[in-house]
Amino acid sequence: MSPEYPFDDDATARAVIDESGTLLEWNAGAERLLGWPVPEVVGRPGRNLLVDGDVLAPAGLRWDGTVALRHRDGHEVSVWLLAHHRPPRDDTPGRWLLFTPLDGAAPHSPDDPLATAVLTQSPCAVAVYDERLRLRRVNDAMAEVIGLPEERMRGLRLSEIGGKPQSEELEAHMVHVLTSGRPLDVQTYMRTGGEDNAHAWLARMAPLTDDEGRVRGVCLAAHDFTDNYLARERLQLVNEASVRIGSTLDVTRTAQELADVLVPAMADLVSVDLLDLQEHGGEPPLRLTAPIGLRRAAHLSVNPGTPEAVLKPGQLEQYPAGSPQADSLEAGRTIVASISSGALDQWLSWHKARAERVKEYGIHSTMSVPIQARGLTLGVAVLTRFRRPDPFSADDVLLAEEITTRAAVCIDNARRFSRERETALALQRSLLPRSLPRTAAVDAASRYLPAARAGVGGDWFDVIPLSGMRVAMVVGDVVGHGIQASATMGRLRTAVRTLADIDLAPDELLTHLDDLVVRLSAEAGNEGSPGEVGATCLYAVYDPVSRRCTLARAGHPPPVVVPPGGEPEQVELPAGPPLGLGGLPFESAELELREGSVLSFYTDGLIETRERDVDASHRMLCDALATYSDSLDETCDRVLHSLLPTGGALDDVALLLARTRGLPASQVATWHIPADPALVAPIRKQVVEQLNTWGLPEASFTAELVVSELVTNAIRYGAHPIRLRLIHDTATLICEVSDTSHTAPHLRRAKTWDEGGRGLLLVAQLTQRWGSRHTADGKTIWAEIALLDEE
């Protein structure tokens, strides 16, 4: 006997041939078949045994066929061979294994005990039905599955034996097999009469034919594949959980998605309770001790309305030691408890309402699974069964823990996002204007909405009062979202206010702002690589005296203007490059606006959506503005309601509406100043007369002094022509002196013996504020005098 075949005998002829055709092994069965002893064949070519001497070269890993072999006494033997090829592996060369049976050709006797036992004693449950689908035979395994002896069932149909809807479905499939003559496999999940719990069954149905090929019945073989079925169901549930849980970055929604996945797949009632983080300073503690405060985040039941729940979503409850929730959180592991074991008696004795629900709905088992992620405990999920009779198994615990762990990561992500979002929102609110200033130039209203999912970003807007009763309006958008974008927005907004304070033209202001963004990008980079700070901006200056508006934009959407009684239209502006590219020019455009015109400034989050293109959004914006009412706030709300989706914008949105005012010519007075200082006195007299005409005699003394100093300085140090202009509204009187010199004045501290140098210091003391601005042909020195209230 060869060591390679420990069960070898002479009932099978075996031989081994290497790749070159040399015989390596020869067993006793081969000697019995051909008469050749081992010494005479091993080590010699195998083709010597072939009658015709041709080389047999089978292909593939297996071959079978009949060959003519030479017996030792010279006669020919026809032999059926089964050959297996073993490829070379490691140090073992390739070889062919050859087999042929010697004692299996004779037919079995009808009374062979093994042939009789193959049906009755087979571990596979088998039943035979005749052509009327009446039961003819079942083996012991099938009788045990059904729970009835064969003699009681013989002659019944499957639907009569099972008595369940699944039995009728199986019988319908058997009819198909009987009529079509083709086998069929059917899967079903049911509890048979001989089982306490439902099992998954694979019913393999095959037609039974007679010698003439006529179908005379159906053989039904049942295979229990419950383990595979449950494993597949668990895998499917885990996959479903990975898809359904965490669809949003909302803590409550994520908790509800966890409950939705577990009911009814694993439990009849699921509640998700999360730690009240306010109690712990905003962050989950590293260690928990009872009593533990938990807030109901979500729950779900197989019964509509979840009547079994004692708490409502949002309610907070303290869970003492001995409660499954507190015990599970303190231990940091899953705890399974049943009513029958008495493990919940103490807890239910403390909480009468829960005890009543347990009794009313027949609750028998609970499982408390801690919600843990990244080393932190966030809460607990409690699974309860009352409709399903089976308690929680060890496999149920593993599955619940895996699903809850996936949900915990999503809940923690949502919690972290919410915390960062709240921080960024607080920062955003602190950086954006809380209210828009009241100006004589425009009435304004604004809205800011953070993105629904991405969080706050870098959108901003502002209304900045300028000298000469002018006003600057700005709207911008920093690339990106989060705290970094908000912080960058704050720096840009501060820079715009600073640059606006020195009265730069819109195109010049954007040039300086572009340089700032380039520097911010360099600071944001690391290891010599530039950062990715970028922004867009639109800046406009409106003068109520001339009713002209000068605008420039840096890659930002142009505004829409609605003239009084007219149709909305987009303002044509040079596009300008986005901020941060550096070195590219910006261009300004000027337009004249009638009093009562409405300017609409906005960021791209208002018009860029997935549902429609930008052109369609522009049309919707114009339609919303066309129904403009006197209330700018109502118009803002109508625009947002019309353009933004119900679930919120994908990007943050800033909207600024400004209705222009015009200053009547009667509130403006202008004088051209001669070069003679001696004529300053008549100018002062004319100013006083004009103030009396306006009904502002209380401002005459201050105005006289301010005009005297500014005009005198312009005559002495400026260049002709010189112009004096007075502008007033209900609260402010503005004195402006313009000349063609580009040299700006500045305050200085005069020495005791100096005869001059105190003029601007006096102006600064007497006025509300003063300053200078450069113009296209020189400069303007201005001062604002606060008027006394008439009250």
Side-chain angles (χ1 to χ4, degrees):
M1 182 181 298
S2 169
E4 190 170 345
Y5 308 110
F7 304 105
D8 198 8
D9 53 33
D10 60 359
T12 300
R14 291 186 176 90
V16 178
I17 300 177
D18 64 13
E19 299 280 15
S20 65
T22 302
L23 276 163
L24 301 179
E25 296 183 19
W26 188 261
N27 77 335
E31 183 176 351
R32 172 187 166 193
L33 175 65
L34 297 179
W36 297 96
V38 173
E40 295 183 17
V41 291
V42 172
R44 298 183 181 184
R47 65 174 179 271
N48 294 342
L49 299 178
L50 297 173
V51 172
D52 54 11
D54 292 338
V55 177
L56 186 64
L61 296 178
R62 197 183 80 168
W63 177 89
D64 70 278
T66 302
V67 296
L69 299 179
R70 190 183 305 280
H71 195 275
R72 188 169 184 270
D73 61 12
H75 76 273
E76 179 181 327
V77 180
S78 181
V79 179
W80 178 84
L81 289 180
L82 175 62
H84 299 280
H85 183 243
R86 288 188 179 178
R89 191 170 66 176
D90 299 331
D91 297 332
T92 305
R95 58 183 59 188
W96 283 91
L97 310 181
L98 287 78
F99 307 89
T100 187
L102 300 181
D103 297 337
H108 290 288
S109 171
D111 57 353
D112 186 350
L114 292 179
T116 305
V118 68
L119 174 65
T120 59
Q121 299 180 22
S122 171
C124 177
V126 178
V128 176
Y129 292 83
D130 61 19
E131 54 192 1
R132 298 179 303 159
L133 293 184
R134 299 289 178 178
L135 182 67
R136 180 69 65 86
R137 289 290 307 274
V138 295
N139 65 355
D140 297 343
M142 180 64 82
E144 183 178 356
V145 167
I146 298 175
L148 294 171
E150 178 184 352
E151 59 271 17
R152 298 296 185 187
M153 297 184 289
R154 193 178 298 118
L156 295 177
R157 289 173 23 213
L158 177 60
S159 59
E160 297 169 340
I161 298 172
K164 295 181 175 62
Q166 296 94 327
S167 306
E168 297 176 359
E169 294 175 3
L170 289 174
E171 186 173 81
H173 290 300
M174 290 175 63
V175 171
H176 177 74
V177 173
L178 189 67
T179 55
S180 66
R182 292 191 297 269
L184 183 65
D185 290 349
V186 179
Q187 294 183 7
T188 185
Y189 191 82
M190 60 184 294
R191 184 179 69 85
T192 66
E195 297 178 312
D196 295 329
N197 299 314
H199 283 70
W201 294 97
L202 172 62
R204 312 202 72 169
M205 307 174 190
L208 299 177
T209 60
D210 56 17
D211 295 339
E212 298 178 359
R214 294 176 299 180
V215 178
R216 304 302 299 272
V218 176
C219 176
L220 172 64
H223 303 273
D224 185 351
F225 70 108
T226 304
D227 292 341
N228 292 338
Y229 175 83
L230 294 179
R232 187 174 60 191
E233 289 289 305
R234 293 187 181 100
L235 181 60
Q236 183 177 351
L237 187 60
V238 171
N239 291 337
E240 183 181 357
S242 64
V243 173
R244 294 177 57 185
I245 300 176
S247 62
T248 66
L249 286 172
D250 180 81
V251 173
T252 303
R253 179 59 192 160
T254 305
Q256 186 63 55
E257 289 168 346
L258 172 60
D260 293 344
V261 168
L262 295 176
V263 175
M266 289 198 65
D268 301 317
L269 169 66
V270 170
S271 61
V272 181
D273 298 330
L274 301 180
L275 289 174
D276 186 18
L277 297 183
Q278 295 180 355
E279 179 183 345
H280 302 282
E283 281 294 318
L286 296 177
R287 187 176 182 84
L288 292 169
T289 56
I292 301 174
L294 296 174
R295 191 177 299 277
R296 178 62 51 86
H299 57 214
L300 185 67
S301 167
V302 292
N303 294 321
T306 317
E308 310 86 357
V310 176
L311 299 179
K312 295 181 179 180
Q315 283 188 316
L316 178 69
E317 184 168 357
Q318 297 292 327
Y319 290 87
S323 63
Q325 292 88 341
D327 291 349
S328 175
L329 292 177
E330 282 187 323
R333 59 179 177 84
T334 301
I335 292 181
V336 177
S338 63
I339 300 297
S340 60
S341 66
L344 298 175
D345 290 349
Q346 185 180 20
W347 163 236
L348 296 178
S349 66
W350 295 338
H351 209 296
K352 300 299 183 183
R354 279 192 171 86
E356 293 175 359
R357 302 291 171 87
V358 167
K359 183 177 180 181
E360 179 180 358
Y361 292 97
I363 294 173
H364 59 82
S365 299
T366 66
M367 176 167 52
S368 301
V369 186
I371 301 174
Q372 299 171 323
R374 301 181 177 99
L376 298 175
T377 300
L378 306 175
V380 62
V382 179
L383 288 69
T384 304
R385 286 182 178 176
F386 52 85
R387 181 176 296 179
R388 292 178 56 165
D390 50 315
F392 291 106
S393 65
D395 289 338
D396 291 332
V397 171
L398 293 176
L399 181 58
E401 289 177 342
E402 182 170 358
I403 294 175
T404 304
T405 299
R406 290 172 179 261
V409 174
C410 297
I411 291 174
D412 190 48
N413 289 341
R415 179 189 67 85
R416 291 169 183 264
F417 170 78
S418 299
R419 182 186 61 185
E420 181 174 341
R421 177 183 171 86
E422 290 171 2
T423 302
L425 277 174
L427 176 62
Q428 183 88 345
R429 294 190 192 102
S430 68
L431 296 176
L432 289 173
R434 295 191 176 184
S435 60
L436 298 178
R438 298 175 60 87
T439 69
V442 296
D443 296 319
S446 62
R447 293 292 186 273
Y448 171 77
L449 292 178
R453 295 185 180 181
V456 297
D459 288 17
W460 90 93
F461 58 88
D462 213 342
V463 175
I464 308 170
L466 302 177
S467 62
M469 293 198 178
R470 297 168 306 131
V471 64
M473 294 160 287
V474 60
V475 61
D477 183 3
V478 176
V479 174
H481 294 88
I483 295 178
Q484 185 62 41
S486 296
T488 302
M489 176 273 291
R491 299 178 71 174
L492 295 184
R493 178 172 177 254
T494 302
V496 169
R497 279 190 158 266
T498 302
L499 295 171
D501 196 47
I502 60 177
D503 269 315
L504 290 180
D507 54 341
E508 294 181 36
L509 183 142
L510 291 181
T511 300
H512 286 279
L513 202 62
D514 182 50
D515 293 338
L516 173 60
V517 175
V518 170
R519 291 196 299 272
L520 291 178
S521 295
E523 294 174 3
N526 50 35
E527 298 180 358
S529 62
E532 296 182 356
V533 177
T536 64
C537 184
L538 171 63
Y539 185 79
V541 176
Y542 173 69
D543 186 348
V545 177
S546 65
R547 295 183 175 86
R548 302 192 70 82
C549 184
T550 306
L551 310 93
R553 63 185 179 123
H556 201 85
V560 174
V561 61
V562 186
E567 294 296 323
E569 57 182 352
Q570 184 173 288
V571 178
E572 296 296 330
L573 286 181
L579 299 174
L581 297 183
L584 298 177
F586 299 94
E587 298 180 52
S588 295
E590 190 174 72
L591 65 152
E592 186 171 349
L593 299 175
R594 287 190 292 160
E595 183 174 2
S597 298
V598 176
L599 284 167
S600 173
F601 305 91
Y602 53 90
T603 55
D604 56 8
L606 182 68
I607 59 174
E608 293 183 359
T609 66
R610 295 175 180 173
E611 290 78 16
R612 56 184 179 272
D613 58 28
V614 174
D615 292 337
S617 295
H618 271 298
R619 290 192 295 270
M620 293 178 64
L621 174 61
C622 292
D623 292 341
L625 292 172
T627 56
Y628 154 76
S629 61
D630 290 339
S631 172
L632 292 177
D633 285 310
E634 291 180 3
T635 305
C636 283
D637 294 335
R638 182 169 56 253
V639 168
L640 296 182
H641 178 75
S642 300
L643 272 77
L644 298 184
T646 305
L650 297 177
D651 195 4
D652 46 340
V653 174
L655 174 65
L656 175 64
L657 299 184
R659 181 173 54 227
T660 62
R661 295 179 179 179
L663 204 63
S666 59
Q667 292 180 234
V668 182
T670 305
W671 294 270
H672 291 281
I673 308 300
D676 188 357
L679 298 179
V680 173
I683 295 297
R684 291 202 303 266
K685 183 178 179 182
Q686 294 178 34
V687 168
V688 172
E689 291 174 353
Q690 182 64 53
L691 293 180
N692 288 332
T693 302
W694 284 342
L696 303 174
E698 70 281 356
S700 298
F701 177 75
T702 302
E704 229 184 322
L705 291 176
V706 171
V707 167
S708 177
E709 291 296 336
L710 295 184
V711 170
T712 301
N713 280 345
I715 294 175
R716 287 180 178 176
Y717 308 112
H720 290 275
I722 301 172
R723 187 187 67 175
L724 167 65
R725 185 169 73 163
L726 296 184
I727 308 171
H728 89 91
D729 66 356
T730 57
T732 306
L733 174 67
I734 298 175
C735 301
E736 293 184 345
V737 177
S738 303
D739 67 84
T740 56
S741 171
H742 291 280
T743 303
H746 60 276
L747 285 175
R748 65 184 180 89
R749 184 177 297 279
K751 298 183 175 65
T752 305
W753 56 84
D754 288 345
E755 295 182 1
R758 298 177 178 83
L760 289 181
L761 181 61
L762 179 63
V763 170
Q765 295 295 320
L766 293 175
T767 60
Q768 187 174 6
R769 62 179 188 142
W770 77 279
S772 66
R773 67 176 182 268
H774 290 281
T775 62
D777 52 2
K779 68 177 183 297
T780 297
I781 312 300
W782 55 270
E784 291 185 3
I785 302 171
L787 300 178
L788 299 176
D789 294 336
E790 296 181 358
E791 297 178 359

